[in-house]
Amino acid sequence: MSLVPFHDRDGYIWMDGKLIPWRSAQVHVLTHGLHYASAVFEGERAYGGVIYKCTEHSARLRKSAELLDFEIPFSVEEIDAAKMATLKANGQTDAYVRPIAWRGSEMMGVSAQHNTIHLAIATWEWPSYFDPATKMKGIRLDIADFRRPDPATAPSTSKAAGLYMICTISKHRAEKKGYADALMFDWQGRVAECTGANVFFIKDGQVHTPIADCFLDGITRRTVIDLCKKRGFEVIERRIMPEELSSFNECFITGTAAEVTPVSEIGPYRYTPGNMSKTILDDYTAEVTPKAAAA
């Protein structure tokens, strides 16, 4: 990724209904979303000028806001149009798309029922999270100290900014030890997800993945499950215990940023990216490639 800081770039950001110069897209230091994490966001990718599953992401953004007890003042259709307008204004066809909604600065305290709800959308060029050669070698994962929270203690099915605090800490700790990311367990000590991606395992021709009831059921996750089923691969969504990690042959992670990335190592456990992982990776690449561009 570019080392140019995100606050100092050329281009445009869509904010509260209009496109404004990138450097002008600012909020006050006493914004509620900054102090109390009353913010939700999405991570999306555009391939060949098409934002993949754009409407699903817009709908999830609005749902995430509802789970945090606020309503985004733009419809799904308006959010879709704003994303495309931002992409066009920045002259991009292959890009990362980041919508974010948050409570403003009218009230500063835990209660902020009358704060304005803002929405901004930025797009920037961002290549595949891991290059193709690295992908098939498999990335290395640490095992995080923090766990995904009990759904009774946090809105775990929302893509809420506050839920990523422990993800940032866990990823930083993993990177300092030479890993690419970290696998997180859930609040009961079962395998859950990575810091920003869902996880899948392969054994005896079957694909296993944790039940997504206390962490985000990713749009890429659901896409990959559908692609596996189209291939005739049996997909088993179930509770996976840490002691099972040694029994799988292959492992891969999925997410908008990671796309489909095989894993070679999780802490002391080793995996060999194989034909099934490559098939799923290739199928996902074909799925997100606009048909006109692929012809």
Side-chain angles (χ1 to χ4, degrees):
M1 290 185 0
S2 171
L3 295 179
V4 178
F6 276 92
H7 70 277
D8 188 21
R9 297 187 175 201
D10 296 325
Y12 297 90
I13 289 176
W14 187 98
M15 191 167 179
D16 292 336
K18 60 183 179 180
L19 287 161
I20 61 176
W22 188 287
R23 294 176 181 84
S24 299
Q26 299 181 15
V27 297
H28 195 273
V29 69
L30 294 180
T31 296
H32 195 272
L34 175 62
H35 290 255
Y36 296 98
S38 54
V40 296
F41 69 97
E42 282 294 317
E44 311 175 38
R45 277 191 187 272
Y47 299 89
V50 177
I51 300 173
Y52 185 65
K53 297 203 170 179
C54 180
T55 299
E56 285 189 39
H57 281 284
S58 297
R60 188 173 69 179
L61 183 71
R62 284 183 54 86
K63 180 62 178 177
S64 291
E66 290 171 9
L67 290 170
L68 266 64
D69 197 33
F70 67 84
E71 182 178 354
I72 296 173
F74 296 94
S75 68
V76 167
E77 293 76 16
E78 289 171 326
I79 297 170
D80 283 353
K83 287 186 285 188
M84 289 306 302
T86 309
L87 198 66
K88 183 178 180 180
N90 288 324
Q92 296 159 341
T93 56
D94 296 286
Y96 192 79
V97 182
R98 171 55 60 90
I100 181 167
W102 69 96
R103 292 186 189 274
S105 54
E106 287 81 3
M107 299 173 66
M108 180 47 57
V110 173
S111 176
Q113 297 187 42
H114 302 296
N115 286 30
T116 300
I117 305 304
H118 299 275
L119 174 66
I121 299 165
T123 67
W124 60 88
E125 292 184 358
W126 192 9
S128 181
Y129 212 47
F130 304 105
D131 65 71
T134 300
K135 278 192 174 186
M136 283 317 298
K137 288 180 182 177
I139 61 168
R140 300 172 62 241
L141 305 180
D142 192 16
I143 296 176
D145 297 320
F146 284 107
R147 296 181 176 186
R148 302 310 299 157
D150 180 343
T153 67
S156 57
T157 57
S158 169
K159 196 168 177 67
L163 292 172
Y164 284 81
M165 174 185 64
I166 58 175
C167 297
T168 296
I169 296 170
S170 299
K171 190 170 176 68
H172 285 180
R173 289 178 179 176
E175 289 176 341
K176 286 176 182 176
K177 291 190 283 185
Y179 294 95
D181 202 349
L183 178 71
M184 304 184 78
F185 298 154
D186 70 12
W187 60 289
Q188 291 186 318
R190 306 169 301 200
V191 174
E193 60 172 350
C194 292
T195 63
N198 294 120
V199 65
F200 289 78
F201 301 92
I202 297 172
K203 178 171 67 173
D204 300 329
Q206 297 174 320
V207 180
H208 302 254
T209 192
I211 297 170
D213 61 353
C214 61
F215 54 88
L216 198 68
D217 180 9
I219 290 173
T220 306
R221 175 185 183 273
R222 295 199 300 266
T223 299
V224 166
I225 288 173
D226 289 342
L227 291 172
C228 286
K229 290 178 178 178
K230 287 180 182 177
R231 276 281 175 183
F233 298 157
E234 183 180 2
V235 179
I236 303 170
E237 297 181 71
R238 65 178 181 85
R239 306 297 184 193
I240 298 175
M241 303 306 295
E243 54 266 29
E244 295 182 68
L245 291 174
S246 63
S247 69
F248 298 111
N249 308 115
E250 299 180 52
C251 174
F252 61 89
I253 62 173
T254 65
T256 295
E259 298 172 304
V260 175
T261 299
V263 171
S264 63
E265 183 178 327
I266 301 177
Y269 308 105
R270 303 293 182 268
Y271 308 95
T272 302
N275 290 334
M276 284 186 68
S277 291
K278 186 176 188 306
T279 295
I280 295 165
L281 190 162
D282 290 344
D283 284 353
Y284 182 77
T285 301
E287 167 71 16
V288 300
T289 302
K291 300 303 180 284

